[in-house]
Amino acid sequence: MNTTTFKVYSAIDELPASWDQVAESNVFLQTSYLKVLEESAPTNMQCFYIGIFEENNLIGVALAQYLNVQKLESFGERDKCIKTTVRNFVFKNFASHVLFLGNNMITGQNGYVFNKEMDFKHISELLIQCSEAIIQYFKNKGIKIHIVSFKDFYQHCSDELKKYDFAEMYDFNIQPNMIFELNPEWKTESDYVAAFSKKYRDQYKRSHKKCEGVTVKELNYQEIIVNEERIYDLYHHVAKNAPFNTFFLAKNHFSTFKKQLGEQLRVAGYFIDEKLVGFHTILLNGETLETYFLGYDEHIQKERMLYLNMLYNMTKFGIENGFKKIIFGRTALEIKSSIGAKPVLMSGFIYHTNKFINHFMDKIFIRLEPSVEWQQRHPFK
């Protein structure tokens, strides 16, 4: 450990030349994606890129994100209640400066990667040292970080980290990551539909019939530019009606993403009489298909079962292009389980830099994080 060091960068052009070789296994840590964050991150977000070295050799890379919650237009408008009002007051006054070690914009273990075996004792030490360095950076600028969070970890990693420096932190499990492990015997959409029980095969047929008259088209870069304002409006409508938000994407996010990643990012537009009424995005990440942000016209969604059809279409793409699994992320758990995704527990760690407040983190957190009750569906025979 004596020869292991790290350096925190604030610009992509400062990164070591071997960065992408180390980050090869995860597109969300490669410079093509990091440039998307640099050019079109949410307005209340600042990103930091961490290089981890053994002597002078880069062996690991990590991402950190600072969020200024005071700049946020809304924490979420769906739930109008006293609890939401209290939550918003607390965030504005006691949790407005938040540091994430990891990527707060997506679900999954995408915070760091190494090109060699690292034991969890060293990983825990490094992550905490990196967070402390960034906290000091903001302290020097007169900004006090209120909350530090490390996200997301699959359960075996979380269990290991808790044996070391993370032991004193509050570990939390919020909504699970909905992951669809695709059956390798499925080669076509018909194979997938044939595996449904009658109830869910009927759901598939009904949703497709409802969506008749909606044209689905993959959008290239120029088409995204032409439709950028409408795409953002559709995204923003969905985002602001979520139960809880810590950021909103920049208006040029999708065109920037497409420009940087090309064919790795696919944007599908849903049209009625040439009017864009919805879109979904997917990211090709090795053998994993990552679902990204989407948007839709609420009235069309209800009438045409648009969201469910988007889930089926993303699944179809995954099957027909030979992906092993699809990461559907958090939210809409029940409907995602109805098309075959299963919940996978993800853990995070969090602490408040005020020791008195931190002592009550377990009680505070469960009151701030919206709880979701849902019923898991089992669609296959």
Side-chain angles (χ1 to χ4, degrees), residues 94-111:
F94 303 103
S96 57
H97 301 292
V98 184
L99 177 64
F100 288 95
L101 269 289
N103 193 332
N104 187 48
M105 297 171 65
I106 54 177
T107 303
Q109 193 164 309
N110 300 299

Side-chain angles (χ1 to χ4, degrees), residues 8 11 35 46-47 63 95 113 131 143 185 296 318 323 359:
V8 180
K35 284 178 183 175
Q46 182 178 352
C47 295
L63 174 66
V113 68
S131 69
I143 297 172
E185 294 181 3
Y296 48 71
F323 288 91
H359 184 70

Side-chain angles (χ1 to χ4, degrees), residues 28 40 99 111 139 181 210 217 254 287 309 334 353:
F28 289 115
S40 64
L99 177 64
K139 185 177 181 181
E181 300 279 352
K210 285 270 191 179
K217 178 186 178 185
F254 296 103
E287 295 180 328
N309 277 283
E334 193 161 324
T353 55

